[in-house]
Amino acid sequence: MKKHGSEIAMEEDKPKITRLTDGAGSDIEVAGQWRLIWLKFRQNRVALFAGWVIFFFYGVALFCEFLAPTLPTVAQPRLTYAPPQEIGLFIEDETGQRRFQLHVNGYAMTVDPESLRRSFTSDPANIIPIGFFVRGEAYDMWGLIPMDRHLIGPLDPSDQMNLLGTDKLGRDMLTRLIYGARVSMSIGLIGVISSLIIGTVLGALSGYFGGWVDLAVQRLIEIISAMPTIPLWLGFAAAIPLTWSPLQVYFIITLIVSLLAWTSLAREVRGRFLSLRREDFVTAAKLDGSSTGRVIFRHILPSLTSHILAVTTLAIPTMIVAETALSFLGIGLKPPVVSWGVLLQDAQNIRTISSAPWLLIWPSLAVISVVLAFNFLGDGLRDAADPYDS
C-alpha cells in the first residue's frame, strides 16, 4: 500500500535503527537521523571533550552548596586579599615520620607600618588538615534539604581554607566561584530557551505564511537589530526598581538578554521554511488534511531540529558573555547575587590587579573555559548535523 506523506515524514524522524528487507530476502540495517548524528559526532574528539567540560560545569552549578567549602557570604576580616593556599600531601608527626595527610599551611601576616597594608606568607608551622565529606557551615541543598557536609574542607570547622585566595572582605574565592557557576550557567541556558522559543515560532510563521506576516516579523527583526546594545541595556537597567529582590532582578536580566538574542535564529528558521514549504512531503501532508500547526510543528520543524540544536549550543556562550559584560559594567546583576560577572566587577581596580590578581584570573578562566567548550561543542554538533558534509 502506498504511504501518505505524513507517514513518510514520521518514519524519517525515528532515531532508532530499523530493519528493511531487500528483494533477495536479506536484512539491511538503516540508522535514523539522530543515530547518524551521534555516530559522526563521537568521532570529533575535541567536541566530545568539550561536552564533558560543559557537563562538569553544570554539575558544579547543580551541586554548588555541597561542593563549596563554605558559604559565599562568610567573611574573614583578618584575611582580606589573602593569597591562594597550596595543598600538601605529607606531614611529619611528633616522631619525625612522614605520613599521608592532605593539608594546607596557614597564613603568617605582617602589616606595613607606613601604608598599613597587610601581606601574607605561608606558615609551615601552622598546618591545617583537610579532608573530604567534612562538616562545616550549614546550608539548605537546593533550598530544600538541610545539610552541613561539604566535599572538601578543614577537619576542624574553626580552621580556614582558601585554596583560591580571598576577596576584599575575606570571603573564600573558590566558594564564590562555585556559587557563581549556578547563576552564570543557568542564565545562559534560560536565556537561550526563551530566545529559542521566540525565534523559532516567529521565524516559522514568517517563512511559512509570507506576505504581511513575513513583512511584520522582518521589520521587527530589523528594528531590534538596529538598536545599539549598550545604551539599550543601560536603559533597561535604569528602569529596574531598586526595591526589587535579587531573584526578580535575575529574571529581568535573563529576559533582557533573551529579547535581544532571538533575531538571528528567526532569520535562519525563516530561510529554511521558505525552502521547505514547497517540498513534496509538505504538500502531501496538506493533501492528507493536516492542519497548518501540524504541518509547521510536526513535519517541517523536525527536519530543522539538528540545525536548531547546533545554533542553540553556539548561542549559550553568547548569553553567558552578555550577563558577564552587564554585571562587569555594573548594569546587570549586583551583590548579594554571586555570578562570574559580579566577581569580575570586584576586580576593577589597580590594587586588585597588582596585589590580588587571583580575583581577576579565576572568574576569567571560568568564563573562557565555558565559552570555548560551548563553541567547540556547537561546531561539532553543526558538522555532525550537516547531511551534505562528507
Side-chain angles (χ1 to χ4, degrees), residues 11-18 30-36:
E11 289 185 358
E12 290 178 350
D13 292 335
K14 291 181 179 179
K16 62 182 181 180
I17 293 180
T18 57
V30 180
Q33 178 187 15
W34 290 106
R35 177 67 175 175
L36 292 174

Side-chain angles (χ1 to χ4, degrees), residues 158-178:
S158 62
D159 290 331
Q160 306 293 339
M161 181 190 73
N162 305 293
L163 298 181
L164 299 185
T166 63
D167 64 2
K168 61 183 179 182
L169 298 180
R171 294 170 298 191
D172 181 51
M173 194 63 188
L174 175 59
T175 297
R176 294 177 63 78
L177 193 69
I178 291 175

Side-chain angles (χ1 to χ4, degrees), residues 219-239:
R219 297 298 79 77
L220 177 62
I221 291 176
E222 291 172 1
I223 292 173
I224 294 178
S225 301
M227 290 181 179
T229 306
I230 297 298
L232 190 62
W233 281 339
L234 288 170
F236 279 125

